[in-house]
Amino acid sequence: MTNNPFRIPVVIHADSMALAQVVAARIAEVVRAKPDAVLGLPTGATPIGTYHELIALHKAGLDLSRVRTFNLDEYYPIAPDAPQSYHHFMREQLFQQVNIDPKNIHIPRGDVPRDEVAAHCEAYERAIVEAGGIDFQLLGIGRDGHIGFNEPGSAETSRTRLVVINPITRQDAAGEFGGEANVPREAITMGIGTILVAREIILAALGEKKSSIIARAVLGLRTSDVPASLLQGHPCVTLHLDGDAAADLAG
Ligand code: GLP
């Protein structure tokens, strides 16, 4: 269902599995049309089902050997082999189970020395440009409206950089780190500007916890107070929701 009054096109699915199937099928379509497509990839609970479906499509014959990937973000500081790192997440949830060439995988590094972070971020941006830009960007959303780790207040023109993580976001990650105090205070994230130049964007959200921020992103004004609302006006963006995440859009 696409609802015209919304400021971003919205598709509401019966459940998380239906959402995952549709989003994974779209990624497969992108890759079949362009075997060396550049995919922007997120972490979090939301994309796990989509990755699961993508693995199934790969097992059924989808070739990902020429695909290039750029992940949105990584905690800072964190070692790539730490179980909470996004490097670890991506290995477990996707990369180990498909045939993406390791040399085509890019994830910001959480273990570069602080005085090398700025150069690392610039190199990340350059690598995206050299790959030809992101063809398809998948996003989740934080309870405060963040995309990647672009917390409220992030500039529309922002690029890959070191950022401070919001308390609400650190609370949400506390479980994985065995307590909020252990959640890193910073992260390296692609910027809003990096995301907005992707040729196609899908933002996926599941569950009642996301319903109020989804309503602000879709119905509210375009403002950096709600980073996901900055997707309004992108020429090819769609929100994919389950009924719970869409609950506050009704009426
Ligand atoms: C983290 C990530 C975001 C992700 C968000 C939501 O903060 N940096 O990119 O969208 O979590 O995660 P979940 O899908 O688990 O709700």
Side-chain angles (χ1 to χ4, degrees), residues 13-232:
H13 298 272
D15 56 31
S16 60
M17 188 178 278
L19 182 151
Q21 283 169 349
V22 168
V23 175
R26 178 61 197 143
I27 296 172
E29 227 168 54
V30 168
V31 172
R32 285 193 194 101
K34 184 180 177 188
D36 64 346
V38 179
L39 305 179
L41 299 177
T43 55
T46 311
I48 289 177
T50 299
Y51 292 155
H52 196 80
E53 291 297 328
L54 200 55
I55 291 163
L57 289 168
H58 166 65
K59 289 190 170 141
L62 178 70
D63 179 23
L64 298 167
S65 61
R66 293 176 59 204
V67 159
R68 281 86 49 85
T69 68
F70 287 87
N71 262 79
L72 276 169
D73 49 12
E74 177 59 287
Y75 290 109
Y76 187 86
I78 201 161
D81 55 1
Q84 305 90 348
S85 81
Y86 290 168
H87 283 77
H88 183 265
F89 175 97
M90 291 305 298
R91 273 196 303 274
E92 294 282 315
Q93 300 298 338
L94 183 64
F95 295 147
Q96 274 174 356
Q97 300 174 71
V98 293
N99 69 336
I100 298 177
D101 187 333
K103 76 171 188 318
N104 291 337
I105 293 171
H106 307 82
I107 307 177
R109 293 196 65 104
D111 62 344
V112 290
R114 192 168 281 274
D115 62 356
E116 291 172 23
V117 167
H120 177 62
C121 294
E122 279 165 36
Y124 203 72
E125 286 283 331
R126 256 195 325 274
I128 294 172
V129 171
E130 280 161 15
I134 293 171
D135 293 300
F136 177 93
Q137 176 70 56
L138 183 59
L139 297 173
I141 184 171
R143 275 197 296 154
D144 60 359
H146 72 235
I147 48 178
F149 268 124
N150 293 283
E151 299 283 22
S154 297
E156 186 174 347
T157 53
S158 54
R159 293 284 170 168
T160 304
R161 69 206 185 287
L162 186 67
V163 295
V164 174
I165 304 174
N166 256 4
I168 185 176
T169 306
R170 293 184 62 236
Q171 261 169 38
D172 284 345
E176 285 148 59
F177 283 88
E180 199 179 322
N182 302 325
V183 181
R185 289 173 190 282
E186 292 170 291
I188 295 175
T189 183
M190 280 187 197
I192 303 279
T194 322
I195 293 167
L196 287 179
V197 293
R199 294 182 186 95
E200 175 177 351
I201 301 174
I202 285 182
L203 185 150
L206 298 170
E208 178 267 325
K209 267 190 353 190
K210 303 287 172 68
S211 61
S212 68
I213 197 67
I214 285 293
R216 290 180 68 196
V218 173
L219 303 170
L221 291 178
R222 191 173 185 277
T223 166
S224 65
D225 293 346
V226 181
S229 74
L230 297 173
L231 299 171
Q232 292 175 17

